[in-house]
Amino acid sequence: MKRALRALLVPPSRLFALYQRLRRKAHALGLLRTCRPQAATAGVGGLSADCRGRVLLTSWLLGWARARGVGAAVAGPLGDGHPPAVPFQVTPGGDPDESGIEAALLASYDPAGRFIIDSDPARAATAAVRSFAPDLLLLEDAFADARLKKDIELALLTPDDLGPGWNKVFPAGAWRLDATALARASAFCVFAGPLSLDAAMEAAKARLAPYGKPVFGLTFSIWRWRGPDGPATAEALAEEPYIAVLGESDRDILPELLRRNLGASPRLAFFIHDRHRFTRQDFENLRADAERLRVKTILTSPRLALKLRQGGRALDGYAVWTYDPEVVFGPTLFTDVPFLSWWEAAYRAVSRERHTS
């Protein structure tokens, strides 16, 4: 039955992919409006709306910019946010319902709060440049978006993208564009868990070789823990039984990472869709399970921690813990240069070109 349904979805997915290719061509020919921001611009994103690794890579680029004295700003889509007006500036500690979870999470890693979201990506980019006059503008979730001209395009791919999800365009799959869009990439970042990164890079070797661009492995480790009172060491969690609330997309990454860092597996693990909105019943069920298992600690990802903390007093008496990730670049393909060196050379070249044009 599922195979027959997938077969029925293939023709409309091909029509959708064709439509998107024609749109890109129209933008390239100047038949549709295209925005070129007045700053060195890098697009970060994948072909799937739920592509993992965007927040990690963008936060790393913001950290690099702070360390190098480069003024950076971010422009992104609304996602699941509902701001009171657009364009909307996302600031650390703001309401995730207004900004959306992903934007709120990214803003928490950028104390400067130089982040604009909008339903119109060109308007978001223009507002960010006008408001912050950045040296570097990062376009969140904008890979191969023909409405915006970018100097650098960083394409994120996951093990699913490189495996069963390869070139499966909506509605037959999760991709918003077909594989021809990958030709626009300046470089590829393959995001996977520490245990599956090597296999993902092997898949990337065959899939991405035709594009002739460098491929960088991307994963993360746990830098430090964060509890109700702020950053803390692993000792604060040592020998504490816990329940884990994790996203489906983290199933292949987090359980083993938590076990390695804490020396124990959770007494119970819940896996939910990353876009799941917690209801009052969800909080009541979580509280009941914690009481039944005699657990006072709930451990989750940074993204889901924002959602759990929106429960207000529903989890009174229980401590919600998460972690701060550390970005780790892994092996490379088709280049001997590590990502840091490649990125700095690419940014320098773009900056020189911008200043001389």
Side-chain angles (χ1 to χ4, degrees):
M1 184 65 179
K2 288 184 178 179
R3 184 177 298 176
L5 180 59
R6 283 197 296 266
L8 288 173
L9 294 175
V10 169
S13 74
R14 288 177 177 169
L15 287 174
F16 183 70
L18 175 60
Y19 164 72
Q20 294 288 20
R21 287 199 301 271
L22 292 174
R23 277 192 64 196
R24 294 203 304 274
K25 187 69 172 177
H27 280 286
L29 294 173
L31 301 176
L32 293 176
R33 183 172 67 92
T34 305
C35 171
R36 187 173 193 259
Q38 297 301 307
T41 304
V44 179
L47 295 176
S48 165
D50 293 322
C51 176
R52 292 180 296 163
R54 283 193 305 251
V55 170
L56 280 174
L57 183 54
T58 305
S59 65
W60 185 91
L61 293 170
L62 287 170
W64 170 86
R66 285 195 300 274
R68 297 295 192 271
V70 174
V74 181
L78 291 184
D80 58 353
H82 299 89
V86 290
F88 181 75
Q89 183 178 359
V90 183
T91 54
D95 185 351
D97 283 335
E98 291 185 344
S99 64
I101 291 295
E102 186 164 309
L105 181 57
L106 184 55
S108 71
Y109 299 134
D110 180 27
R114 295 153 61 98
F115 190 176
I116 299 289
I117 60 172
D118 200 311
S119 55
D120 181 337
R123 193 165 58 197
T126 301
V129 171
R130 184 174 60 245
S131 300
F132 309 122
D135 303 307
L136 171 65
L137 178 63
L138 299 172
L139 300 176
E140 176 79 349
D141 192 23
F143 171 70
D145 189 331
R147 293 170 293 181
L148 296 159
K149 286 190 175 180
K150 286 144 282 183
D151 302 297
I152 303 170
E153 293 254 30
L154 297 174
L156 279 158
L157 294 165
T158 65
D160 182 72
D161 290 325
L162 296 164
W166 176 261
N167 206 24
K168 290 184 179 176
V169 180
F170 176 85
W175 284 21
R176 296 169 288 188
L177 304 168
D178 66 10
T180 62
L182 295 174
R184 301 172 69 95
S186 306
F188 298 101
C189 290
V190 175
F191 176 73
L195 300 180
S196 56
L197 183 58
D198 288 342
M201 292 298 283
E202 278 299 312
K205 188 182 298 184
R207 295 288 197 193
L208 303 179
Y211 299 99
K213 304 293 175 59
V215 181
F216 302 97
L218 174 65
T219 187
F220 72 95
S221 62
I222 293 175
W223 169 39
R224 64 183 179 184
W225 299 95
R226 187 174 292 273
D229 300 321
T233 63
E235 285 71 24
L237 281 170
E239 299 182 3
E240 281 288 326
Y242 65 95
I243 286 177
V245 180
L246 307 174
E248 279 289 350
S249 62
D250 292 321
R251 187 183 285 271
D252 65 331
I253 301 176
L254 279 180
E256 178 61 16
L257 203 57
L258 296 179
R259 189 194 66 76
R260 285 185 177 187
N261 278 267
L262 298 177
S265 298
R267 288 194 174 175
L268 185 66
F270 294 100
F271 292 94
I272 61 175
H273 193 280
D274 289 357
R275 295 184 182 273
H276 178 75
R277 297 183 70 87
F278 285 92
T279 65
R280 180 179 176 180
Q281 188 64 53
D282 289 329
F283 287 114
E284 290 177 357
N285 291 341
L286 182 56
R287 187 182 186 93
D289 283 322
E291 288 178 356
R292 176 174 57 84
L293 295 169
R294 299 180 181 179
V295 168
K296 290 294 184 181
T297 300
I298 299 169
L299 194 53
T300 188
S301 66
R303 179 189 300 266
L304 294 181
L306 289 175
K307 294 188 177 186
L308 287 177
R309 287 169 182 158
Q310 286 179 295
R313 300 181 62 84
L315 295 177
D316 274 1
Y318 295 87
V320 176
W321 282 74
T322 186
Y323 57 85
D324 289 329
E326 180 179 10
V327 177
V328 177
F329 290 100
T332 64
L333 294 174
F334 318 126
T335 180
D336 295 326
V337 178
F339 181 79
L340 172 61
S341 300
W342 178 88
W343 165 256
E344 291 191 330
Y347 177 72
R348 282 196 302 270
V350 168
S351 295
R352 284 195 299 267
E353 181 182 343
R354 286 277 186 165
H355 284 111
T356 57
S357 60

